[in-house]
Amino acid sequence: MPLIRVDATKGRSEDEIRNVLDSEAHLSGFNEVSDAIQFLVSDAETFAAVQVDTRDSFAADVITGLSARHKQLPPKYFYDATGSRLFEEICRTDDYYVTRSETALLRNIAEELAAGIPQGAALVEFGSGESAKTRLLLDAAPQLSAYVPIDISADALDQASAMLARDYPQLSIAPVVADFTGHFRLPAAADGRPRVGFFPGSTIGNFDRDGAVRFLRSARQVLGDQAALLVGVDLVKDEATLSAAYDDSQGVTARFNKNLLIRINRELGGDFDPDAFDHLALWNPVHSRMEMHLVSRKDHIVNAAGHTFSFRSGERLHTENSHKFTIDSFAQLAARAGWSAANTWISDEPRVAMFRLEPHP
Ligand code: TRP
């Protein structure tokens, strides 16, 4: 096995070291990042801290979130292997229109989007999952040289990358396991190439406004000055359509939401009873967003991450927001991060939008 060395003493934060390590591990052909981390731990003491940090950040976030007056958890922890699978299942339900509308839109405009992708460019996708929609772009833009899928779930990324490598033999595929909201480095495959970012799925709506601006700024930095960013945005619409999308009649979204508790049980020694909670999806008109909560069905006590948390009957644990925009409200948000909306496309109903952003001149 090759030995990966990351110089941990260059004044990087622990988070940065973890991301560098993650991408380095993948570039070196490790299937599981944990393999690489274990391997490195046995090799050099510096990296023991990295492994501890990876675990501790989940524990720390759970302790902080469940101790807050309004209990909440960061949505990135939804996406363990089961969560990623359940999310793909949500995308295939009749009630969750976002994937359906956006896929149909991408199919219609693929040629137009492809026309704006320079020769030899690298396509960089934030939160790539199974990369299903990406194929529409890859098929329409054979001038692409590299594809850099970034995802927090190593399992989802490994599977998708293997299939893409098989189906697009000309394309250099350089996956990065990382939390794309943090700092990460693009792999060498993207060096010296014009870069086009791809951020579909209305994931931008899962940030709060300031978080969205921070993300868009850092994407500008990562992609460079000649970049473009293709962003999929969900539009404000009637409440019934929105509510059904986040509380589908097959109960997949409810299972997805509760999987977070099962993950805490498994990884942090928790004793959550998922049946002691109801899934709740509600429209918040003040913030123009759908909110996902888990609502305690009774007064009870839960242990997790070495701490004890009490839930009152009816108390909510807030797990996700999904902001909905108008064309103008999103263009304004993008402008705060130094991007202008060069082009906008809108799908058939239920409507979602695709923006082509370019750096402000
Ligand atoms: N980006 C998706 C969205 O906001 C994520 C999502 C869909 C989601 N359904 C969900 C997140 C249910 C949490 C719970 O539309």
Side-chain angles (χ1 to χ4, degrees), residues 89-90 93-96 243-255 279:
E89 212 178 311
I90 290 176
T93 63
D94 287 339
D95 290 320
Y96 189 68
S243 294
Y246 292 89
D247 190 7
D248 66 278
S249 59
Q250 297 165 56
V252 187
T253 307
R255 268 194 286 147
H279 168 70

Side-chain angles (χ1 to χ4, degrees), residues 75 78-79 87 90-91 96 98 200-206 234 245-246 253 256-257 279 292 319-324:
F78 277 132
Y79 301 94
F87 184 69
I90 290 176
C91 294
Y96 189 68
V98 177
S202 174
T203 311
I204 189 76
N206 300 128
D234 194 13
Y246 292 89
T253 307
F256 174 73
N257 203 1
H279 168 70
M292 255 65 62
T319 53
E320 180 69 295
N321 292 314
S322 187
H323 291 82
K324 308 301 172 188

Side-chain angles (χ1 to χ4, degrees), residues 73 101 113 318:
L73 290 172
S101 288
L113 292 175
H318 191 170

